[in-house]
């Protein structure tokens, strides 16, 4: 079928195209795409064959119209135009963002689009037969691109930047680089082309328009003048042209310190004061120089470079406060000098050679220290005194003299004394006025070679001002001790010894200490027929036998007096006795046995001493035996034989009795009758004959021996004026159930005590007279 030629002109205007698109439809169904290009006045057409009339559409973002935004028209070459073709759209945003007219194929955007959210949409279009529902041809994909407009301002990566740069930096020194971004399309137009500029911070800083690098724009920026700067940077798109969008950020710039400020004293001179009694090392005062720098650039060092007080004062640096501390180096003296002057210099410890042209990094100041007067204690002429004295110096001789004075202007007189804690033996005395030390007792170098005492000096008008000085007294040696044996020698001689044989080598000691050393001379006090001595001249001597044939039966011990002399002046000598035992020896000279007496003598114990020791041992043994015997005699027969043996030893005292001093009682053991105990185990009662005669039978008939014993003892005590008074005595051996006397408790006799008769008390003698007066003739009484 041949169809008429139709010319379709799609009214699509694409911003990136300079010519409209002309679509021509031929009768054979083929579509031709012609680009309308004008070359002068001549129209040039290019043929392009395709099945669909679309491949790509462009759509502007941020559409503000009230109607849907028209995208374009879709049509298939299979569409006959009879209304049987139906167009269907699928893909990204189909049905929501994009809608297509099923009949005409017109495509519209229903929403306002943002290229920064999504730059393009991929869709698929297909034509169907309305009647059969079958596709007229396969689906074709096309793209809708969102065309960018300048709707986003530049944004910096940080809202606030922080940077630091050394002070006094040169112009052009790098400070920091800032960066901004633009969400618009950088490939299309100038929407994302940024230009940087400074809004605040001139003339100190500048920024490169294209890179955003901030640099120093002013030289000699001093941190001590201003430390902090705030720079506002702007980034503008559209290459900075009018109408472009912009964004800003702030850069906080801090100038870091360099050592460009020398230290300076606030004053040219300082005045301080301290007491003359200030101790060495004590603080007088503090001074400080000012330095505008900080950190290690502000660290300073102080020193004294000149002044008449340089010997007495010193300065040290307090590293924490950077102050110069004036301290006492040597004791100040108000009386000799009132004002001490020093010149102090301060310098930086860390200097930068780059800034030496700014001037010398040091300063000086004068410090004057005034010494204030105090009442000082006496001062000795020497810090320590050393005297020497011979040990044989007589009492009262002066050893030396101590000198002290009052350093104050008053010059009070001084009095001296020895600290008694340092001279406990009271060997020395000091004159309180002139300080002369004399000897009170004899000295002995062998007991103590040095005497260390302390002398006190105080002002007479103010005894609290006191000073102390050590005095060392060396006791010089005098040859006043004779040499003696160096040890106790155990010397023996063999019976078979030969003449001239060595039996002992002896040496000596001397407690004296001569300057040239000891030199001892050994000799015998007299000629000895048995032994001789040979001086070795080295402070030792040899004892030799003069004969042979010693016999211990004839003489078991020999005593050899040896005279030992020294060579000092005056010569001192002593005689020491060497004990030589005669012993039995073998052929080689080894001792076999010696007499007992000789052995005892060699041990240093005499026979009498041994006898005394044995007697002491014997006496101790006898004392032990005696104590043992006395202990056995003191053992008594126990009063309680069994659990039923319960006794009461009742001793009653009245006004005539012995009271608490009467502590002697009868021996109960002597009142017990063995036959009664063994026969009936009954208790024997020793009571007055007529005591309780009514209901308690008296056992006195069966105990006549006890009665006679008591009566005889009673008569003895009655006639004895020095015997303690015994009012009554009752001994109970077996009281209680089963006893002949039954219960003796006074509580049981209370019912019948009114029937008691006490006439028998008058027969007991004068010692019971008061008791009889109390009970006889009365209707009631007290049971005892």
């Amino acid at each position: 079928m041949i169809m008429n030629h139709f010319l379709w002109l799609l009214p699509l205007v694409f911003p990136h195209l300079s010519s409209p698109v002309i679509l021509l439809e031929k009768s054979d169904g083929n579509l031709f795409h012609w680009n309308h290009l004008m070359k002068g006045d001549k129209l040039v057409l290019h043929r392009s064959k395709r099945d669909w009339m679309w491949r790509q559409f462009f759509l502007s973002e941020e559409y503000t119209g009230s109607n849907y935004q028209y995208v374009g028209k879709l049509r298939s070459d299979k569409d006959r135009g009879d209304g049987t073709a139906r167009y269907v759209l699928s893909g990204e945003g189909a049905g929501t963002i994009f809608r297509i007219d099923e009949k005409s194929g017109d495509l519209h955007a229903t929403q306002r689009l943002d290229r920064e959210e999504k730059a393009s949409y991929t869709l698929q279009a297909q034509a169907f037969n309305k009647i059969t529902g079958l596709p007229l041809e396969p689906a074709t994909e096309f793209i809708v691109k969102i065309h960018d407009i300048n709707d986003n301002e530049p944004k910096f990566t940080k809202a606030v930047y922080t940077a630091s740069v050394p002070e006094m930096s040169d112009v052009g020194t790098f400070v920091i680089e800032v960066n901004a971004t633009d969400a618009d399309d950088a490939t299309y137009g100038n929407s994302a082309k940024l230009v940087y500029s400074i809004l605040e911070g001139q003339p100190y800083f500048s920024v490169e328009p294209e890179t955003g690098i901030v640099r120093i724009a002013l030289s000699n920026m001093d941190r001590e003048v201003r430390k902090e700067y705030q720079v506002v940077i702007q980034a503008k798109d559209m290459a900075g042209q009018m109408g472009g969008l912009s964004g800003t950020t702030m850069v906080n710039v801090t100038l870091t310190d360099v050592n460009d400020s020398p230290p300076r004293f606030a004053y040219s001179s300082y005045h301080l004061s301290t007491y003359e009694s200030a101790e060495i090392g004590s603080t007088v005062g503090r001074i400080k120089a000012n330095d505008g720098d900080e950190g290690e650039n502000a660290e300073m060092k102080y020193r004294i470079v000149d002044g008449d007080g340089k010997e007495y004062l010193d300065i040290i640096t307090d590293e924490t406060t950077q102050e110069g501390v004036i301290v006492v180096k040597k004791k100040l003296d108000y009386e000799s000098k009132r004002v001490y002057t020093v010149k102090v210099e301060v310098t930086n410890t860390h200097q930068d050679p780059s800034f030496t042209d700014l001037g010398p990094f040091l300063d000086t100041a004068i410090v004057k220290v005034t010494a204030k007067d105090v009442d000082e204690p006496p001062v000795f002429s020497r810090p320590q005194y050393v005297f020497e004295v011979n040990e044989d110096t007589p009492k009262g001789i002066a050893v030396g003299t101590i000198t002290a004075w009052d350093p104050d202007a008053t010059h009070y007189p001084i009095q001296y004394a020895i600290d008694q804690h340092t001279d406990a033996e009271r060997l020395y005395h000091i004159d309180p006025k002139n300080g002369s030390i004399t000897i009170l007792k004899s000295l002995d170098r062998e007991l103590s070679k040095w005497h260390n005492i302390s002398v006190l000096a105080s002002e007479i008008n103010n005894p609290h001002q006191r000073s102390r000085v050590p005095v060392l007294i060396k006791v010089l040696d005098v040859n006043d001790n004779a040499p003696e044996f160096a040890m106790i020698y155990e010397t023996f001689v063999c019976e078979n010894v030969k003449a001239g044989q060595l039996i002992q080598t002896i040496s000596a000691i001397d407690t004296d200490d001569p300057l040239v050393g000891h030199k001892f001379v050994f000799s015998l006090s007299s000629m000895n027929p048995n032994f001789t001595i040979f001086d070795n001249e080295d402070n030792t001597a040899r004892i030799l036998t003069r004969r042979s044939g010693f016999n211990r039966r004839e003489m078991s011990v020999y005593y050899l007096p040896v005279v030992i002399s020294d060579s000092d002046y005056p010569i001192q000598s002593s005689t020491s006795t060497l004990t030589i035992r005669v012993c039995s020896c073998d052929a080689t000279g080894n001792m076999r046995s010696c007499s007992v007496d000789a052995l005892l003598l060699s041990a240093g114990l005499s026979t009498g001493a041994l006898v005394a020791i044995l007697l002491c041992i014997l006496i101790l043994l006898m004392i032990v035996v005696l104590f043992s015997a006395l202990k056995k005699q003191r053992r008594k027969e126990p009063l309680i034989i069994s659990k039923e043996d319960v006794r009461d030893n009742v001793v009653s005292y009245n006004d005539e009795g012995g009271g608490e001093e009467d502590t002697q009682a009868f021996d109960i053991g002597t009142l017990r009758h063995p036959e009664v105990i063994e026969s009936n185990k009954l208790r024997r009662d020793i009571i007055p004959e007529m005591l309780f005669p009514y209901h308690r039978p008296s056992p006195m008939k069966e105990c006549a021996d006890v009665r006679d014993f008591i009566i005889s003892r009673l008569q003895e005590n009655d006639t004895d004026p020095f015997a303690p008074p015994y009012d009554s005595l009752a001994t109970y051996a077996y009281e209680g159930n089963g006893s002949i006397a039954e219960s003796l408790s006074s509580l049981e006799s209370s019912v019948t005590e009114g029937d008691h008769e006490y006439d028998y008390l008058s027969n007991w003698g004068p010692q019971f007279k008061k008791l009889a007066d109390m009970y006889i003739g009365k209707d009631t009484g007290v049971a005892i």
Side-chain angles (χ1 to χ4, degrees), residues 605-620:
L605 296 177
S606 63
T607 304
L610 293 176
V611 171
I613 293 173
L614 293 176
L615 287 176
C616 291
I617 295 174
L618 182 60
I619 291 172
L620 290 175

Side-chain angles (χ1 to χ4, degrees), residues 112-283:
R112 184 178 179 180
L113 302 180
D114 189 356
R115 189 200 68 83
E116 286 70 36
E117 293 182 0
K118 190 171 181 62
S120 63
Y121 296 86
T122 302
L123 299 169
Q124 295 84 31
Q126 191 173 15
F128 292 87
N129 190 307
K130 284 185 178 181
I131 300 173
T132 63
L134 298 176
L136 299 179
E137 55 187 17
T140 301
E141 182 179 87
F142 66 96
I143 298 174
V144 177
K145 288 187 176 180
I146 308 301
H147 180 59
D148 182 49
I149 64 173
N150 190 19
D151 61 342
N152 291 279
E153 72 275 5
K155 293 183 179 180
F156 285 92
T157 56
K158 293 182 180 178
V160 178
Y161 289 85
T162 302
S164 62
V165 63
E167 63 175 332
M168 310 300 290
S169 297
D170 296 332
V171 175
T173 302
F174 175 84
V175 178
I176 195 174
E177 181 179 357
V178 296
N179 293 299
T181 59
D182 196 321
D184 293 326
D185 189 0
T187 62
Y188 177 75
N190 294 325
S191 298
K193 187 175 182 180
L194 306 180
V195 174
Y196 299 92
S197 62
I198 287 184
L199 299 182
E200 296 180 13
Q202 295 175 338
Y204 307 105
F205 301 94
S206 63
V207 63
E208 294 181 358
E210 296 180 356
T211 61
I213 296 176
V214 181
R215 298 183 183 275
I216 295 291
L218 185 65
S219 61
N220 297 328
M221 297 177 65
D222 193 356
R223 185 197 66 86
E224 288 72 33
V225 176
R226 183 177 177 182
K227 182 179 180 181
E228 303 286 345
Y229 294 86
Q230 290 183 343
V231 182
V232 178
I233 306 295
Q234 174 184 265
K236 190 174 184 180
D237 59 11
M238 297 300 292
Q241 299 178 4
M242 185 177 295
L245 303 179
S246 64
T248 59
T249 187
M250 180 177 291
V251 180
N252 293 326
V253 181
T254 302
L255 296 183
T256 58
D257 185 55
V258 297
N259 194 7
D260 61 338
S261 298
R264 292 290 182 263
F265 284 109
Y267 306 99
S268 60
S269 64
Y270 295 84
H271 296 271
L272 304 173
S273 63
T274 186
Y275 288 101
E276 62 174 335
S277 60
E279 298 294 333
I280 295 176
S282 60
T283 300

Side-chain angles (χ1 to χ4, degrees), residues 357-563:
D357 57 336
L358 298 179
F361 282 78
L362 59 87
D363 196 12
T364 59
I366 301 299
V367 179
K368 295 182 179 181
V369 178
T370 302
K372 295 188 290 186
D373 186 30
V374 295
D375 190 5
E376 299 176 273
V379 177
F380 290 95
S381 60
R382 283 183 278 176
Q384 178 178 285
Y385 292 86
V386 179
F387 300 128
E388 293 182 350
V389 60
N390 293 326
E391 61 178 327
D392 61 348
T393 301
K395 303 176 183 177
I397 300 299
V399 175
T401 302
I402 305 298
T403 303
W405 65 89
D406 183 8
D408 298 320
T410 54
H411 297 292
Y412 290 127
I414 305 300
Q415 60 181 1
Y416 303 92
I418 294 178
D419 187 352
Q420 299 301 331
H421 295 90
T422 61
D423 186 23
E425 298 179 3
R426 306 295 189 270
L427 298 177
Y428 301 98
H429 170 73
I430 188 169
D431 191 296
K433 295 183 178 181
N434 60 23
S436 177
I437 299 178
T438 56
I439 299 175
L440 292 180
K441 297 181 180 179
S442 299
L443 305 179
D444 190 355
R445 190 201 66 87
E446 286 69 37
L447 295 179
S448 178
K449 297 180 181 180
W450 286 90
H451 296 158
N452 301 334
I453 63 176
S454 294
V455 173
L456 306 175
S458 60
E459 299 178 4
I460 293 180
N461 294 349
N462 187 8
H464 297 288
Q465 292 294 339
R466 176 183 297 177
S467 299
R468 177 188 299 266
V469 67
V471 179
L472 307 179
I473 301 177
K474 182 179 181 181
V475 182
L476 301 179
D477 184 47
V478 174
N479 192 26
D480 58 348
N481 292 280
E484 57 185 8
F485 278 154
M487 58 181 295
I488 299 176
Y489 294 100
E490 296 182 0
T491 306
F492 68 93
V493 61
C494 296
E495 291 180 317
N496 56 354
V497 71
K498 297 180 181 180
Q501 186 171 343
L502 174 65
I503 61 173
Q504 184 69 59
T505 299
I506 59 176
S507 61
I509 57 173
D510 193 342
T511 55
D512 293 324
D513 189 13
L515 297 177
V516 296
H518 291 290
K519 178 61 179 177
F520 301 129
V521 177
F522 299 88
S523 62
L524 298 179
S525 60
S526 61
M527 180 64 66
N528 191 291
N530 301 311
F531 305 97
T532 185
I533 189 169
F534 181 81
D535 194 340
N536 296 325
E537 297 184 355
D538 59 354
N539 294 335
T540 62
R542 291 176 291 171
I543 305 299
L544 306 175
T545 57
R546 186 180 288 273
R547 65 180 180 87
S548 60
F550 290 90
N551 191 339
R552 58 176 174 170
R553 293 184 180 86
E554 298 177 357
M555 181 68 70
S556 60
V557 178
Y558 292 90
Y559 301 99
L560 181 64
V562 178
V563 178

